[in-house]
């Protein structure tokens, strides 16, 4: 990370680079503990050995091939009940960044996985530190498959595979662009553009407004995603009624 210079106001201006670490989110959390933390600090590693995903899932990544970064933000303008708004802003930033390289098939799988077609390119893990009812700090961990060409999981895909690019992408340059896109949506959120972002998010949600199979407690059913609540719950039409699901209550059936 020799010439890392994103065109941002604050995100990525202070950078911690580690050639290898267990989890960038854990390192970011340790930085917050020191109380000497700049808003917009990012932690980057080329080799994350114990990355975490949503629901305690592990993240499969080969060294020096993908984006593994954690961003520290101070969204103290949000209270606990509004934390999903940050999720929306970050997801939209990642989506816009990837749109520079992919023409179609890109979606956000609720709550914040990045999909191309039926295959996962990346995900986000947001961990908040609270001060009373406000969010004091957010650590936004982002893992995106970029140059990796083979995966143990056949449902995974990388930017190189999806874009059919012949050459490796320059990871450092991509992280600069990612910072620029996320900062843009974060500042929009700070300026109160909640409704516009929510509408944009729903337009990009994987399987939004379509009937598909889902699973709950081993039982399969057909449902249609119709909304995402302010709390982040997935609102799904099932038969004649609309039900809401928390993050761990429903899984997508993807063949």
């Amino acid at each position: 990370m020799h010439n890392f210079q994103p065109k941002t106001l604050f995100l990525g201006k202070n950078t911690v680079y580690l050639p290898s670490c267990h989890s960038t989110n854990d390192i970011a959390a340790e930085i917050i503990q020191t109380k000497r933390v700049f808003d917009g600090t990012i932690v980057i590693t080329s080799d994350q050995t114990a990355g975490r995903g949503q629901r305690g899932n592990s993240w499969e990544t080969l060294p020096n091939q993908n984006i593994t970064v954690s961003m520290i933000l101070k969204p103290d303008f949000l209270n606990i009940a509004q934390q999903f708004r940050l999720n929306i802003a970050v997801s939209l930033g990642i989506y816009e960044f990837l749109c520079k390289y992919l023409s179609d098939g890109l979606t956000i799988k609720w709550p914040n996985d990045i999909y191309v077609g039926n295959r996962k390119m990346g995900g986000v893990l947001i961990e908040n530190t609270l001060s009373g009812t406000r969010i004091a700090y957010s650590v936004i961990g982002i893992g995106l498959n970029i140059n990796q060409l083979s995966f143990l999981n056949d449902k995974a895909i990388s930017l190189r595979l999806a874009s059919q690019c012949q050459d490796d992408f320059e990871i450092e340059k991509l992280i600069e662009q990612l910072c620029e896109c996320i900062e843009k949506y974060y500042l929009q959120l700070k300026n109160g553009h909640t409704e516009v972002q929510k509408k944009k998010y729903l337009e990009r949600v994987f399987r939004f407004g379509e009937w598909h199979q889902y699973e709950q407690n081993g039982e399969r059913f057909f449902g249609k995603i119709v909304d995402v609540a302010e709390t982040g719950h997935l609102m799904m039409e099932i038969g004649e009624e609309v039900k809401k699901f928390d993050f761990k209550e429903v899984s997508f059936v993807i063949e």
Side-chain angles (χ1 to χ4, degrees):
M1 296 290 155
H2 308 296
N3 305 305
F4 189 74
Q5 293 177 318
K7 298 183 186 72
T8 55
L9 294 174
F10 69 99
L11 186 57
K13 294 298 187 189
N14 187 48
T15 307
V16 177
Y17 173 70
L18 300 162
S20 175
C21 78
H22 52 293
S23 159
T24 54
N25 263 33
D26 288 353
I27 300 295
E30 288 167 15
I31 291 170
I32 290 169
Q33 293 296 319
T34 67
K35 300 286 191 285
R36 295 189 300 275
V37 56
F38 296 99
D39 195 8
T41 294
I42 66 171
V43 180
I44 304 169
T45 187
S46 301
D47 182 15
Q48 181 166 259
T49 55
R52 302 193 308 282
Q54 289 283 0
R55 312 177 194 186
N57 293 338
S58 61
W59 180 250
E60 177 198 347
T61 180
L62 290 176
N64 305 308
Q65 296 196 11
N66 304 311
I67 289 177
T68 312
V69 61
S70 291
M71 303 174 172
I72 300 174
L73 295 172
K74 296 183 181 181
D76 51 10
F77 55 91
L78 293 175
N79 63 42
I80 303 165
Q82 297 169 327
Q83 60 186 330
F84 198 75
R85 293 180 183 182
L86 180 62
N87 186 92
I88 287 174
V90 169
S91 299
L92 289 174
I94 297 169
Y95 184 97
E96 183 168 300
F97 153 68
L98 288 170
C99 274
K100 299 177 196 289
Y101 303 99
L102 290 172
S103 53
D104 54 11
L106 191 64
T107 57
I108 302 164
K109 178 173 163 284
W110 173 85
N112 49 25
D113 281 342
I114 304 300
Y115 265 58
V116 180
N118 282 337
R119 298 169 79 185
K120 182 175 173 177
M121 182 179 284
V124 183
L125 180 65
I126 298 179
E127 297 177 308
N128 296 316
T129 306
L130 304 177
S131 175
T133 59
R134 297 264 145 196
I135 300 174
Y137 292 102
S138 284
V139 174
I140 294 145
I142 300 169
L144 291 172
N145 299 327
I146 302 297
N147 292 322
Q148 193 164 330
L149 295 178
S150 63
F151 296 90
L152 297 174
N153 183 347
D154 61 2
K155 292 284 192 291
I157 195 169
S158 67
L159 183 56
R160 251 198 82 180
L161 288 170
S163 63
Q164 299 182 322
C165 185
Q166 297 304 307
D167 301 312
D168 274 358
F169 290 96
E170 195 183 324
I171 300 289
E172 192 170 320
K173 180 171 160 250
L174 293 191
I175 297 176
E176 287 177 350
Q177 294 171 352
L178 180 63
C179 286
E180 290 158 15
C181 289
I182 288 177
E183 184 183 85
K184 170 186 160 181
Y185 282 95
Y186 180 72
L187 293 175
Q188 276 183 11
L189 171 64
K190 200 171 185 176
N191 290 327
H193 295 254
T194 312
E195 290 307 311
V196 177
Q197 291 197 351
K198 166 78 180 292
K199 182 172 178 289
K200 226 171 183 177
Y201 175 81
L202 288 178
E203 286 168 0
R204 289 153 177 70
V205 162
F206 179 66
R207 294 183 173 176
F208 181 74
E210 304 168 3
W211 290 97
H212 285 278
Q213 272 199 315
Y214 297 88
E215 195 169 285
Q216 184 183 29
N217 301 325
E219 297 286 322
R220 288 195 176 189
F221 62 90
F222 275 95
K224 179 171 76 171
I225 299 170
V226 292
D227 199 1
V228 176
E230 169 79 354
T231 53
H233 286 85
L234 190 68
M235 308 300 291
M236 199 180 290
E237 189 179 314
I238 302 165
E240 299 295 308
E241 57 181 337
V242 174
K243 289 188 173 180
K244 72 175 184 178
F245 295 93
D246 206 346
F247 302 123
K248 296 183 176 128
E249 289 181 337
V250 65
S251 57
F252 291 63
V253 176
I254 301 172
E255 304 299 352

